[in-house]
Amino acid sequence: MKAVIAGGGIGGLTAALCFHKFGWDVELCEQAAEIREIGAGIQISPNGMQVLRALELDQQIEAIGFRPRASQLRMGKSGRPIVTASTQAYEARFGAPYLHIYRPDLISVLKDVVLDRLPQAIKTGVAVTGYGQNDREAWLTLDNGLKCNGDIIVGADGIRSTIRAQMIGQDKPDFTGNTAWRAVVPVSKLGRNCPLPVSSIWLGEGKHAVTYLLRGGQLANFVGVVERDDWKNERWTERGDKADALADFAGWHPVVTTLLEQADEHYRWALFDRAPLDQWAEGRAVLLGDACHPMLPFMAQGAAQAIEDGYVLARNLAEQNDHKNALDRYFALRQKRTAKIQAAARANMSIFHQRSSAGKLTTFGPMWLADKFKPDIADDRLDWVYGFDVTAE
């Protein structure tokens, strides 16, 4: 059996390795001339690491990542901690570590392993224009006039998915009123204002920032989200001006402002929300990752959920003789979970951005008290996300 995958990002490459694990042949089509990623940090939580461990990639991933000591909520200007949760205990609690990864490093590892295990699987420089199928096979149509044929078509082609558009039509995302800034800076440029070896969420009025370390502590990652409606471009490769980024976080803690000051490049993109889909498949074509459940970044689960998708999809297709039953089961196993995480990310957006003193007191006060008297309460609330192991179902 053969899977043909559209998209060479984290979801597509992981899906290729999952299909290979379960005995399938794979062909992956990527429109870029070279599979690579723009610089940015991501977080791989224990639920995602369980899949990477099942694919025998965990040691390579850990070697290029960073293990934070804790996760924190802090006030953006004063830096005062509200909640601190140890992430070093996650492996014992959830069965796998929590890592920070530089996107280009993760893509490089995944690509190299795909090429090692499936030497002829990746085709680059070919843009997918659509798909076709009959009762025996399915195929991707490419911009060069050729086709890639297989038994199943997997749309892992991201938030602007060509496969999804053909399957269910163009989506109509809702602008959240938020714009995100992104930057990565060598820690050697930050001096005493380098972020601590923890994942920190800095809270402010109508905005928040996230900082953490990457690549063994050599790089510092910054993401800042600001409520504003003067920028509605969803492409996350658009550069912005340093002055605008600094103005958005003027008066904030020096860890935040120093990162922005020392960054050579400042990227920004508008955040749009999408309702969960009630269809992920049509015949022999199926969606995965951002193509079917794009997520706001406030749960740090976009990559982990795409990784989970690949494993569940490949396993169900390998275990079921009928592709329709397999794809129906994949949807049943994944849609409710991903929709719940989408909703949780949406809720966090409003929690982080309290503007009034009363809102801050009623929201952050109970968090601070809980952290003092029951410090593991934050972990309890994450059990359903981090403790979920798709490889053990």
Side-chain angles (χ1 to χ4, degrees), residues 159-201:
I159 201 165
R160 285 173 289 277
S161 169
T162 298
I163 305 303
R164 182 188 64 224
Q166 179 177 334
M167 185 182 297
I168 61 175
Q170 294 288 347
D171 61 2
K172 296 180 179 179
D174 297 319
F175 180 52
T176 64
N178 288 268
T179 294
W181 289 98
R182 184 179 76 255
V184 177
V185 184
V187 299
S188 59
K189 298 176 65 176
L190 301 176
R192 65 180 183 178
N193 290 322
C194 177
L196 295 172
V198 303
S199 176
S200 295
I201 302 176

Side-chain angles (χ1 to χ4, degrees), residues 19-94:
F19 276 108
H20 174 69
K21 174 180 174 64
F22 288 102
W24 278 48
D25 192 13
V26 177
E27 190 166 10
L28 185 150
C29 298
E30 165 58 40
Q31 66 177 349
E34 179 184 357
I35 291 182
R36 55 191 177 92
E37 264 288 354
I38 194 167
I42 59 173
Q43 302 178 52
I44 304 294
S45 49
N47 50 302
M49 286 300 298
Q50 294 283 14
V51 175
L52 297 175
R53 179 176 291 169
L55 296 174
E56 300 179 358
L57 298 176
D58 52 317
Q59 292 185 4
Q60 293 183 61
I61 300 302
E62 289 191 52
I64 62 169
F66 182 84
R67 282 199 187 205
R69 295 178 184 174
S71 62
Q72 291 186 325
L73 289 178
R74 291 176 169 268
M75 297 309 298
K77 293 185 176 180
S78 68
R80 179 179 179 178
I82 301 170
V83 175
T84 300
S86 172
T87 53
Q88 294 186 320
Y90 280 2
E91 188 155 11
R93 180 172 183 138
F94 301 120

Side-chain angles (χ1 to χ4, degrees), residues 355-385:
R355 289 182 175 274
S356 68
S357 297
K360 294 175 186 177
L361 181 63
T362 57
T363 301
F364 304 143
M367 293 181 181
W368 181 83
L369 285 172
D371 188 52
K372 300 302 178 188
F373 295 103
K374 196 178 185 304
D376 59 350
I377 191 170
D379 296 344
D380 294 343
R381 292 174 176 172
L382 290 170
D383 273 343
W384 68 278
V385 182

Side-chain angles (χ1 to χ4, degrees), residues 120-384:
Q120 306 301 319
I122 298 177
K123 294 185 182 299
T124 56
V126 288
V128 172
T129 59
Y131 67 91
Q133 57 184 308
N134 55 37
D135 59 354
R136 300 179 307 279
E137 63 176 352
W139 57 87
L140 290 178
T141 56
L142 308 177
D143 62 348
N144 60 9
L146 299 178
K147 297 179 180 179
C148 289
N149 296 68
D151 296 282
I152 292 292
I153 295 300
V154 180
D157 48 344
I159 201 165
R160 285 173 289 277
S161 169
T162 298
I163 305 303
R164 182 188 64 224
Q166 179 177 334
M167 185 182 297
I168 61 175
Q170 294 288 347
D171 61 2
K172 296 180 179 179
D174 297 319
F175 180 52
T176 64
N178 288 268
T179 294
W181 289 98
R182 184 179 76 255
V184 177
V185 184
V187 299
S188 59
K189 298 176 65 176
L190 301 176
R192 65 180 183 178
N193 290 322
C194 177
L196 295 172
V198 303
S199 176
S200 295
I201 302 176
W202 307 76
L203 307 175
E205 298 176 0
K207 64 189 70 176
H208 78 279
V210 180
T211 60
Y212 52 84
L213 300 179
L214 302 168
R215 194 179 279 175
Q218 298 177 39
L219 301 175
N221 190 68
F222 171 89
V223 177
V225 178
V226 182
E227 293 179 8
R228 54 188 299 174
D229 59 7
D230 60 344
W231 181 272
K232 296 186 180 181
N233 189 345
E234 195 175 19
R235 291 180 59 86
W236 79 316
T237 57
E238 297 289 330
R239 284 184 170 86
D241 292 331
K242 177 188 292 189
D244 291 338
L246 286 168
D248 279 340
F249 291 93
W252 275 48
H253 194 275
V255 167
V256 173
T257 56
T258 302
L259 266 167
L260 291 172
E261 182 63 46
Q262 295 300 319
D264 293 327
E265 297 175 320
H266 301 74
Y267 294 92
R268 66 176 181 175
W269 76 105
L271 298 179
F272 285 80
D273 199 14
R274 291 164 172 80
L277 299 177
D278 57 10
Q279 177 187 354
W280 288 10
E282 179 194 37
R284 293 175 177 270
V286 64
L287 303 174
L288 176 151
D290 282 350
C292 53
H293 51 69
M295 297 179 176
L296 295 170
F298 309 128
M299 283 288 288
Q301 279 294 302
Q305 291 308 303
I307 289 169
E308 286 187 9
D309 285 349
Y311 195 92
V312 176
L313 176 61
R315 185 186 57 203
N316 275 278
L317 282 165
E319 291 177 350
Q320 306 245 359
N321 292 325
D322 182 271
H323 72 272
K324 183 180 185 306
N325 289 339
L327 298 185
D328 286 347
R329 179 163 173 76
Y330 163 68
F331 179 79
L333 288 170
R334 296 299 300 153
Q335 197 269 352
K336 288 183 180 179
R337 174 167 167 79
T338 56
K340 186 176 179 180
I341 293 174
Q342 285 177 297
R346 193 176 304 119
N348 278 349
M349 177 175 62
S350 59
I351 291 172
F352 293 164
H353 291 192
Q354 297 296 320
R355 289 182 175 274
S356 68
S357 297
K360 294 175 186 177
L361 181 63
T362 57
T363 301
F364 304 143
M367 293 181 181
W368 181 83
L369 285 172
D371 188 52
K372 300 302 178 188
F373 295 103
K374 196 178 185 304
D376 59 350
I377 191 170
D379 296 344
D380 294 343
R381 292 174 176 172
L382 290 170
D383 273 343
W384 68 278

